[in-house]
Amino acid sequence: MTLQSEFRAPSPILLIEDEPSVTAFLRAALERRGYAVVDASSGAEGLEKLDGGKYSGVISDIRMPGSVNGAEVHAWIQENRPELCTRIILITGDTANSDTQALLAQSGTPCIEKPFRVQQLLTIVERTFGKP
Amino acid sequence: MELAVDAAQSRHLPGFLERFAARATRMLDAKWGGVMVLRGRETDLYQANSSENPLEPSQHGALVRLAREHRREIEVRLLSTDSALTSLTEHSGAAVVLVPITASDEENLGSVCLLRDRGTLEKNERNLLHALASHAALSLENFRRFSQLERSKRQWVEDIDAISDYIVVHDRSFRIVRTNRSLASHLGVPPVALVGEAMSSLRQIGETGSELPCPFCRDTQQAREEYVVASPERIFLVSTSRTPGVSDDDTRTIHVLKDMTDRREAERRYRELFDSIQEGLFFATPDGRFLDVNDAMVRMLGYGSRDELLRADVGPHLYPVPAARERFLRALSERGVLRNYEETLRRKDGTLLHTLQNITAVRDANGKIVQIRGLMLDVTEQRTFQSQLQRERDFNQKILNTTQSMILVLDTAGLISYANRRCFESGYREDELIGHRLVDWVEASHRTDFEAALETTAHGHQVENLELRVRRSDTSMGHFSISLSPMRDEQNLVNSVVVVMTDITDAVLLQAKLAHSEKMASIGRLVSGVAHEVNNPLAAILGFTDLLLENPAIPENAREDLQIILHETQRTKDIVQDLLSFARQRPVQRELVHVNNVLRQTIKLRSYDFASHGVEVSEDFDENLAPALGDAQQLQQVFLNILNNAYDAVQDAGQRGHIVIHTGRSEQNIEVAITDNGTGVPDTERIFDPFYTTKQAAKGTGLGLSICYGIVRAHGGEILCRNNEDGPGSTFIVRVPIATEAATTAAIAKEAGR
């Protein structure tokens, strides 16, 4: 990557997802559309990266193993990166969970339910983060 | 009166009379003289010189005949020549002179009889004869008195000797004057042997502790004494009389010793029996005073001693109810004897004593009761036991009658011999239970189980919680829990079986429901987990398939394959979505739902299909149905699902389909029953299980009713399915709670605020 391109390129999207196959698919789909992607395989790693870098948006799975889940990532951003508050997309495999439902209802954060079509993803990403 | 001459004295009298006869004969110059004495019917004849001139029997007879002729005056009778007496004189013209001997009381004692040669009597001779007769009379009378005295004295001694009591008479110097034969024979000596002996020699009869020389005297100053002397062997009642005299000689002390040993013994035995007997014995006056009671009686009534009971005026205390005493006296007065008379008395300490009495009234000549005699048994214990038994029996009866279980007793042949009240309250009639076999009420397929249990019980083992289907009195079958217990007789042999039956149909249903809902919940958790795990790989598959399809380098034939992958992935996604719908307790919309309206809208959705396929739908709605609180959309999904199933079922049944939708209120629920006349449901228990389906594979995922189940549960209601009992097809029942008043008000306010 050149300095110029670095300069021109907007900040990457931070992708927090514990499932490697899903991460791979999301990265492929987003990069193909022109987005830069930085990924983290857990909530804790995601927070580390958020703390140490600049991102144009965050896509996070809700249910993840480990000490930090999607809801906590969402809460951290609200606390520490208010500018990113409206630039979060949550992914869930389980909308039945009442905590998830509460989070979605309260924040109005867009959410994509697994499994989803590429087009569904890109529509929401473009609407939330803007075109690359 | 007769002149009885004692045999002992007779020898003195004949001598005197013979001498008298001789003297008279001589004085009056008679040829023969004699005295004839009347002795009853006998006549004794005494003659002078009887040994020299014995009379011939004819002469004797003739004289006696003459003598017995009564006369008051001297008579001179000439003898005829043929008289037997002529030979006594040897002289013609002889006469017999008869002089009556008359006692002072005019009694004819006999005659003096003289034979003389001449028949005349000079005056001086006549006077002499009178004097002789008087003398003879006096002598005879004296003799008779003496003889009477003698005889009575002898009789007295005999009488005293005949008395079995010991009699001893002593003088002032304590010398024995006389004893009777009993006393002497007691000492083994003749009575006379003791005369003159000292009284102290009689000490051996009985030790009296007396300091005096006479063992039987206590106070010689007393004219009379009476006391009891007890020796180790005998007991005597000593009665003493003293006759004071002017001299020592005529002062007599008479002791009569009455042997009381036997009487005392009898008395002692009687008393012992009286006191040792365990039954209470009493003698009482009609006014309620005890005259005598035995120890048992004292004990029974709780008094300290016999005297205390006899002293106290116990009548009023004895009867806790005064009227009871009057009733008792009335009954006794009427009947005289009371047998097994039951009476509750009060002990000294106030506790009650239940008695059984046998009473006899003793009456005086006027029929008035003067004494009451009775025997009393303490039956308090029995009575207490009896009442306890009664209480226990009542208690058991109450348990038997109030228990919600049916309790029956069977004999060893299995015939019902007893049924508690509950059985009859359940509708069974006595005549269809008692004497019938219980097994006949058991459902046919369960009878061998029941009989095996009965057999086990007959061998003395308990059988518990046997669950059998039993026909109820209304012919419906109920699910019963049955316990059988052997009941044993005194020989420990099983003689009957106690059967406790509880209708647990409702409990079984409830349990089944619980088990079912638990099963559904665990399926829900499982499905939820699986769905979530499946979604990640599915997301990757679907995503990469999309990316591949976007790739222009993919050849056309591979693209077709990718389309299939895409399609099947979509299908998998739908299944997972349905599973999650079933599993998730989706928060239902809380708004007032009018179930009838929801049903009408649902029917409208399928009305075209129903009409075109000849399926008739009837509405049987309760138009006053209260609203439920929930999500109309979701409930519609439930009803639609059920209607679709019903439609499929009646189509498969191949006859004119008919679906009836009923709404109504059931307790605090709105109940919707959707009945079809279709094929029915093979397994109503599993119909709501995910993937359970009776349909062909293409027709559904097998999750429709599972989703309905999830929705209804989320509404706090229940859904169940059963096959119709009165015809083909099945009925689905949905119950959702009626909105409470508070919830309704809140919901209305919320709607208004929107």
Side-chain angles (χ1 to χ4, degrees):
Chain A
M1 213 176 273
T2 63
L3 271 175
Q4 214 171 16
S5 68
E6 225 174 37
F7 177 72
R8 277 192 290 120
S11 306
I13 292 169
L14 178 62
L15 178 63
I16 310 172
E17 167 64 63
D18 64 308
E19 190 72 31
S21 63
V22 177
T23 306
F25 150 63
L26 286 170
R27 179 181 277 276
L30 291 169
E31 287 183 343
R32 213 175 272 186
R33 195 46 66 108
Y35 292 102
V37 176
V38 170
D39 63 70
S41 62
S42 72
E45 189 189 338
L47 291 187
E48 240 172 66
K49 292 202 162 148
L50 266 173
D51 204 24
K54 188 173 162 54
Y55 301 98
S56 59
V58 177
I59 298 175
S60 176
D61 193 3
I62 293 178
R63 194 159 124 174
M64 286 179 293
S67 54
V68 184
N69 63 20
E72 281 152 342
V73 170
H74 181 268
W76 190 92
I77 290 170
Q78 279 194 314
E79 185 81 11
N80 301 291
R81 293 284 185 277
E83 71 278 9
L84 282 178
C85 256
T86 54
R87 303 179 77 84
I88 308 171
I89 296 170
L90 292 171
I91 309 171
T92 178
D94 174 20
T95 48
N97 188 290
S98 53
D99 291 342
T100 310
Q101 286 166 356
L103 170 68
L104 296 178
Q106 177 202 330
S107 62
T109 306
C111 177
I112 314 172
E113 279 185 55
K114 290 180 197 172
F116 47 84
R117 305 292 302 270
V118 170
Q119 200 48 54
Q120 280 176 281
L121 169 76
L122 293 177
T123 306
I124 289 178
V125 168
E126 271 181 20
R127 199 167 63 210
T128 311
F129 302 153
K131 290 182 188 270
Chain B
M1 195 186 273
E2 66 184 71
L3 183 69
V5 177
D6 193 282
Q9 301 295 324
S10 60
R11 53 197 159 109
H12 307 296
L13 186 66
F16 162 75
L17 289 174
E18 279 168 19
R19 283 193 302 277
F20 179 86
R23 194 170 144 220
T25 305
R26 196 171 53 249
M27 284 172 80
L28 280 144
D29 190 26
K31 293 292 175 202
W32 182 91
V35 179
M36 284 166 287
V37 177
L38 301 179
R39 185 163 56 86
R41 292 174 181 281
E42 303 292 313
T43 307
D44 297 328
L45 195 153
Y46 305 93
Q47 66 172 80
N49 311 314
S50 61
S51 51
E52 291 167 23
N53 303 308
L55 287 176
E56 289 169 17
S58 60
Q59 295 172 332
H60 189 275
L63 283 168
V64 166
R65 267 195 303 281
L66 284 169
R68 293 198 77 90
E69 287 171 13
H70 185 76
R71 63 184 60 79
R72 303 189 68 83
E73 283 301 322
I74 295 168
E75 186 186 341
V76 179
R77 193 179 288 183
L78 293 173
L79 289 176
S80 58
T81 51
D82 60 342
S83 172
L85 299 173
T86 49
S87 60
L88 290 173
T89 64
E90 294 167 0
H91 193 279
S92 58
V96 60
V97 179
L98 294 156
V99 185
I101 305 170
T102 307
S104 51
D105 60 356
E106 301 295 318
E107 187 192 348
N108 183 20
L109 297 175
S111 304
V112 178
C113 186
L114 299 169
L115 283 176
R116 298 217 309 172
D117 290 340
R118 59 173 191 279
T120 55
L121 207 58
E122 299 298 323
K123 191 169 189 225
N124 60 334
E125 287 176 328
R126 197 170 282 266
N127 288 343
L128 181 64
L129 280 172
H130 273 297
L132 281 172
S134 297
H135 179 66
L138 194 66
S139 298
L140 274 175
E141 270 192 306
N142 276 347
F143 177 78
R144 190 180 61 179
R145 281 197 196 96
F146 170 78
S147 134
Q148 263 178 337
L149 198 68
E150 188 72 11
R151 185 165 48 98
S152 104
K153 192 173 148 194
R154 291 171 59 79
Q155 190 63 47
W156 177 240
V157 171
E158 269 176 25
D159 287 350
I160 287 192
D161 280 344
I163 293 173
S164 60
D165 297 340
Y166 301 165
I167 299 171
V168 57
V169 184
H170 64 81
D171 58 18
R172 188 173 281 184
S173 55
F174 303 107
R175 296 270 156 204
I176 295 172
V177 175
R178 178 170 290 168
T179 67
N180 69 344
R181 200 188 302 277
S182 298
L183 178 64
S185 62
H186 175 74
L187 299 172
V189 293
V192 287
L194 291 166
V195 176
E197 294 290 324
M199 275 304 287
S200 57
S201 64
L202 298 182
R203 278 195 200 282
Q204 54 180 301
I205 291 173
E207 190 43 65
T208 61
S210 171
E211 301 286 317
L212 295 165
C214 169
F216 307 120
C217 283
R218 288 198 169 171
D219 183 355
T220 52
Q221 299 305 309
Q222 298 288 329
R224 291 180 179 281
E225 282 186 291
E226 191 165 273
Y227 52 86
V228 173
V229 164
S231 73
E233 301 94 40
R234 319 296 297 173
I235 298 159
F236 294 102
L237 173 70
V238 180
S239 304
T240 303
S241 308
R242 295 194 174 80
T243 55
V246 285
S247 68
D248 281 3
D249 281 349
D250 56 3
T251 298
R252 296 283 186 268
T253 300
I254 305 148
H255 297 296
V256 178
L257 282 68
K258 192 166 188 64
D259 190 337
M260 311 257 298
T261 316
D262 292 345
R263 210 173 101 195
R264 275 300 179 107
E265 180 65 13
E267 223 171 82
R268 191 186 60 77
R269 279 192 199 141
Y270 161 76
R271 191 79 227 179
E272 206 172 79
L273 182 70
F274 189 72
D275 281 340
S276 66
I277 206 160
Q278 290 307 300
E279 287 78 16
L281 289 167
F282 64 89
F283 298 84
T285 60
D287 59 350
R289 245 188 111 78
F290 285 117
L291 298 169
D292 196 5
V293 292
N294 68 344
D295 290 348
M297 186 83 184
V298 175
R299 204 163 49 239
M300 255 180 222
L301 289 171
Y303 285 84
S305 68
R306 186 198 311 265
D307 289 342
E308 188 187 3
L309 185 55
L310 293 183
R311 216 172 26 241
D313 182 15
V314 290
H317 180 78
L318 209 55
Y319 285 83
V321 185
R325 182 171 161 72
E326 281 155 33
R327 193 177 58 229
F328 159 71
L329 286 174
R330 205 161 44 241
L332 186 64
S333 169
E334 279 167 18
R335 286 180 267 164
V337 172
L338 298 177
R339 297 229 174 276
N340 296 327
Y341 187 81
E342 286 185 41
E343 190 74 87
T344 302
L345 301 178
R346 187 158 49 181
R347 293 195 185 88
K348 187 190 177 190
D349 64 2
T351 56
L352 294 183
L353 173 76
H354 297 285
T355 65
L356 204 62
Q357 304 181 27
N358 285 319
I359 313 279
T360 311
V362 180
R363 298 174 192 269
D364 64 10
N366 300 323
K368 185 169 171 278
I369 296 176
V370 289
Q371 205 185 86
I372 296 170
R373 295 177 184 168
L375 182 143
M376 187 182 281
L377 282 174
D378 180 355
V379 293
T380 309
E381 218 166 283
Q382 288 93 314
R383 188 62 92 68
T384 315
F385 180 68
Q386 223 167 16
S387 59
Q388 200 176 335
L389 210 66
Q390 188 61 42
R391 266 203 302 280
E392 220 161 88
R393 207 172 289 158
D394 290 349
F395 182 64
N396 289 344
Q397 195 61 46
K398 252 179 223 163
I399 293 176
L400 279 176
N401 285 342
T402 53
T403 181
Q404 288 303 299
S405 294
M406 305 202 306
I407 297 174
L408 301 115
V409 177
L410 311 187
D411 61 18
T412 42
L415 302 178
I416 301 166
S417 60
Y418 168 84
N420 73 340
R421 192 189 291 173
R422 180 68 194 156
C423 298
F424 306 119
E425 285 170 354
S426 306
Y428 293 103
R429 291 195 321 272
E430 189 166 352
D431 64 330
E432 61 186 7
L433 286 182
I434 306 297
H436 289 78
R437 278 151 40 98
L438 179 59
V439 70
D440 293 341
W441 291 90
V442 177
E443 193 185 69
S445 63
H446 285 167
R447 281 181 192 162
T448 47
D449 289 350
F450 181 80
E451 283 183 328
L454 205 58
E455 183 72 18
T456 307
T457 316
H459 283 93
H461 303 287
Q462 181 115 3
V463 176
E464 281 178 40
N465 297 328
L466 185 67
E467 289 192 13
L468 298 178
R469 288 173 66 77
V470 174
R471 190 152 46 88
R472 296 200 186 98
S473 55
D474 62 1
T475 70
S476 66
M477 278 291 170
H479 208 102
F480 284 78
S481 168
I482 302 178
S483 293
L484 298 99
S485 311
M487 199 150 78
R488 293 167 188 279
D489 61 13
E490 293 79 5
Q491 278 84 46
N492 210 31
L493 296 171
V494 176
N495 63 355
S496 46
V497 175
V498 179
V499 181
V500 180
M501 294 176 49
T502 310
D503 190 338
I504 54 166
T505 312
D506 291 346
V508 166
L509 283 178
L510 190 68
Q511 203 179 13
K513 260 190 216 171
L514 260 173
H516 187 244
S517 75
E518 212 155 277
K519 182 183 79 177
M520 297 304 263
S522 55
I523 290 174
R525 283 191 297 277
L526 175 73
V527 157
S528 172
V530 168
H532 187 264
E533 291 309 315
V534 167
N535 272 340
N536 275 327
L538 214 53
I541 294 167
L542 189 61
F544 280 114
T545 308
D546 265 347
L547 292 178
L548 279 174
L549 281 170
E550 281 178 12
N551 190 343
I554 299 293
E556 193 53 36
N557 54 352
R559 200 170 286 275
E560 282 169 18
D561 293 348
L562 283 170
Q563 281 299 343
I564 293 170
I565 294 173
L566 189 68
H567 184 261
E568 289 305 307
T569 309
Q570 285 282 16
R571 209 169 80 118
T572 309
K573 179 190 159 182
D574 288 345
I575 291 169
V576 172
Q577 283 300 320
D578 279 354
L579 277 175
L580 283 171
S581 304
F582 156 71
R584 81 174 49 129
Q585 299 281 307
R586 196 199 296 264
V588 289
Q589 293 291 320
R590 292 291 178 183
E591 56 195 19
L592 291 177
V593 179
H594 294 277
V595 172
N596 287 350
N597 294 347
V598 175
L599 280 166
R600 285 200 179 95
Q601 283 163 17
T602 313
I603 294 163
K604 203 183 281 174
L605 286 176
R606 297 301 310 270
S607 59
Y608 175 76
D609 278 341
F610 287 174
S612 59
H613 289 89
V615 177
E616 189 192 336
V617 178
S618 320
E619 296 175 9
D620 172 23
F621 291 173
D622 174 359
E623 295 301 343
N624 299 315
L625 205 57
L629 206 59
D631 186 325
Q633 288 280 309
Q634 289 187 8
L635 287 178
Q636 185 169 357
Q637 189 186 340
V638 171
F639 297 142
L640 186 62
N641 212 310
I642 296 171
L643 272 180
N644 287 343
N645 275 327
Y647 175 77
D648 290 345
V650 297
Q651 287 296 101
D652 290 350
Q655 58 182 16
R656 187 166 176 79
H658 191 193
I659 299 169
V660 181
I661 305 173
H662 163 88
T663 65
R665 181 173 178 149
S666 164
E667 292 169 5
Q668 290 306 305
N669 290 315
I670 290 160
E671 186 173 281
V672 179
I674 300 173
T675 304
D676 66 59
N677 61 345
T679 50
V681 176
D683 191 341
T684 54
E685 298 290 312
R686 292 188 59 206
I687 189 85
F688 301 105
D689 289 7
F691 306 115
Y692 177 83
T693 182
T694 58
K695 297 174 189 171
Q696 292 153 356
K699 267 192 164 175
T701 59
L703 285 165
L705 285 172
S706 304
I707 293 165
C708 293
Y709 179 88
I711 290 169
V712 175
R713 294 287 294 184
H715 277 79
E718 61 177 350
I719 180 168
L720 48 105
C721 167
R722 62 171 177 238
N723 284 316
N724 300 330
E725 283 177 1
D726 51 355
S730 56
T731 299
F732 279 81
I733 294 167
V734 175
R735 294 193 188 103
V736 287
I738 290 171
T740 60
E741 214 167 293
T744 308
T745 316
I748 290 169
K750 192 176 160 193
E751 264 172 47
R754 215 173 249 173

